[in-house]
Amino acid sequence: MAPLTWRHHTLLQALLSRGPLPERDFHDLFTAMSGKNPANDKQLFSDTLGKINKELGYLHFDLRACINQYDGTVYYGVVNTIADEESKLGSKYSVPQIAFYKGLLEAIVQESGNDGSISSIDALNVRIDNQVVIADSTQDSQSRLPSSITNFLFSQKEKTLSDLIQDRWLAHTSDGKIGLGIRSFLDLRSWFHGNDIPSCVVCNEAGIKASTCPSEACSVRIHNYCLKKKFSQRKAPRACPGCATEWPRQEGEDDAGEDGNDPGEGQEAPTAPSAERSSRRKRKAVKAERVEEAEEAGPSTVVPRRSSRSAKVEAAESAREASSSGAPQPARSSKRRKN
């Protein structure tokens, strides 16, 4: 197999130095390197990523794409595919900081339901002593916790929380809460599945930030962006795939689709041609009304035109009379205009 070229190296270097990139930026970079548009040359784009991943596999790395579940943006990034003690040495975070992150992760994913976020106060109150595994657990195991865990101060939590957000392991959501960052979505895919996090029935990815079926007896979850794709057709039934319960519309969905799906009792939703015919009939009716008004007001509009013509004729005759009598023409013509 041919070695990686400078184009492959450039793509890798951009992801390693800048971190996960939005799909648009990564596609622009690929276009600049290859002169091809990934949207049109999908096979070339797929082959390029496949070649990179084959080489990265020897180092237990992977170039993958994922979706930010809070806004639906696709990102590309390089992740570590093995979790062992040696790989942990590459982290800049200390043992209590990693324990704090694990506590935040559990609170966001498992305790917040389908919202996928917690408040800043709840984040800072997360316990970390239960994140440390002690080999021989006894009643006095609490006293044998490492001092770095027991002495982890509130101010250190604040600093660690800020660092995790800056490094994109966590993120601020649109409503000001704390949620998972794009690096967590990239790196923890296998962890989500291994910890039985409910998956979206449309894309089969973990439903961290998702909508749940309105039926309490049903556990179906669907991401908001997957909902838009699934129910994008106006006539498509908005039914839960698991229990067939009607799925309510989410905040921010297009109301036009609702008008098209729910035309009203005893009425059918008008199609585009029927709506166009209706507008044409309205325009014709308006034109007919204008014609009728013009016909009714016809005599009043025609008479002034004739009177204006007769006035011009009279003005011309008076001008000839004035010229023959020797009287000043401007004065007589002005008097005619006044009359």
Side-chain angles (χ1 to χ4, degrees):
M1 183 177 180
L4 298 181
T5 66
W6 66 270
R7 293 181 175 86
H8 301 95
H9 294 163
T10 302
L11 292 174
L12 275 175
Q13 184 63 31
L15 292 175
L16 293 174
S17 61
R18 297 162 60 183
L21 293 177
E23 182 180 42
R24 182 175 180 178
D25 294 346
F26 189 68
H27 281 185
D28 290 344
L29 182 61
F30 180 85
T31 301
M33 295 300 100
S34 63
K36 303 292 184 179
N37 187 347
N40 301 329
D41 297 275
K42 295 181 180 180
Q43 189 60 46
L44 175 62
F45 182 71
S46 178
D47 292 343
T48 302
L49 298 190
K51 187 174 182 179
I52 292 176
N53 277 329
K54 188 170 184 178
E55 299 296 331
L56 288 178
Y58 295 109
L59 302 174
H60 302 289
F61 283 94
D62 184 36
L63 194 164
R64 65 176 60 162
C66 76
I67 300 180
N68 185 339
Q69 297 189 17
Y70 300 99
D71 59 12
T73 304
V74 178
Y75 283 81
Y76 285 85
V78 176
V79 300
N80 180 19
T81 59
I82 189 171
D84 53 14
E85 295 302 322
E86 288 75 14
S87 63
K88 294 179 182 178
L89 297 177
S91 174
K92 73 173 188 179
Y93 294 100
S94 63
V95 172
Q97 288 178 320
I98 294 177
F100 181 52
Y101 171 71
K102 289 181 178 179
L104 291 171
L105 182 63
E106 290 182 358
I108 292 172
V109 172
Q110 297 176 341
E111 299 176 11
S112 63
N114 65 330
D115 184 60
S117 61
I118 57 177
S119 67
S120 299
I121 298 300
D122 291 338
L124 294 175
N125 288 328
V126 165
R127 294 177 55 186
I128 65 173
D129 54 354
N130 57 356
Q131 300 298 328
V132 179
V133 179
I134 300 178
D136 53 340
S137 57
T138 58
Q139 294 181 352
D140 62 340
S141 59
Q142 183 72 20
S143 61
R144 294 189 292 107
L145 286 172
S147 59
S148 59
I149 297 293
T150 56
N151 296 331
F152 197 64
L153 303 177
F154 191 84
S155 59
Q156 292 175 296
K157 286 185 176 181
E158 290 181 321
K159 177 64 169 57
T160 303
L161 182 62
S162 177
D163 290 342
L164 290 170
I165 293 175
Q166 183 177 357
D167 292 340
R168 303 165 77 180
W169 290 104
L170 300 176
H172 286 294
T173 61
S174 59
D175 54 358
K177 293 184 177 181
I178 304 297
L180 297 185
I182 190 59
R183 293 187 67 179
S184 293
F185 287 119
L186 278 168
D187 283 59
L188 301 180
R189 179 180 296 174
S190 59
W191 186 89
F192 294 146
H193 289 288
N195 285 269
D196 298 328
I197 306 301
S199 300
C200 170
V201 297
V202 176
C203 66
N204 202 33
E205 293 291 337
I208 308 301
K209 172 67 175 177
S211 297
T212 56
C213 177
S215 175
E216 296 181 357
C218 183
S219 59
V220 169
R221 287 190 182 188
I222 304 179
H223 298 126
N224 293 334
Y225 46 85
C226 291
L227 274 176
K228 294 180 181 179
K229 293 180 181 179
K230 183 173 180 60
F231 301 136
S232 60
Q233 300 291 334
R234 286 190 174 185
K235 296 183 179 180
R238 297 182 62 88
C240 172
C243 64
T245 302
E246 183 179 359
W247 204 286
R249 292 190 176 275
Q250 304 299 312
E251 183 179 356
E253 283 195 58
D254 189 7
D255 293 335
E258 183 176 358
D259 296 338
N261 288 333
D262 303 320
E265 186 176 356
Q267 297 181 358
E268 293 183 358
T271 58
S274 62
E276 185 177 354
R277 288 194 297 269
S278 177
S279 62
R280 288 179 181 175
R281 287 196 295 267
K282 289 181 180 179
R283 289 196 296 267
K284 289 182 179 180
V286 172
K287 289 182 179 180
E289 292 178 359
R290 291 180 179 176
V291 171
E292 291 178 359
E293 292 177 358
E295 289 178 352
E296 292 177 358
S300 61
T301 56
V302 175
V303 170
R305 292 182 180 177
R306 291 180 180 177
S307 61
S308 62
R309 292 194 190 99
S310 60
K312 291 181 180 179
V313 173
E314 292 177 0
E317 291 178 354
S318 61
R320 286 196 296 271
E321 292 176 358
S323 60
S324 60
S325 60
Q329 181 178 350
R332 296 203 175 201
S333 61
S334 60
K335 289 180 180 180
R336 287 289 183 184
R337 291 192 184 95
K338 290 179 180 181
N339 295 332

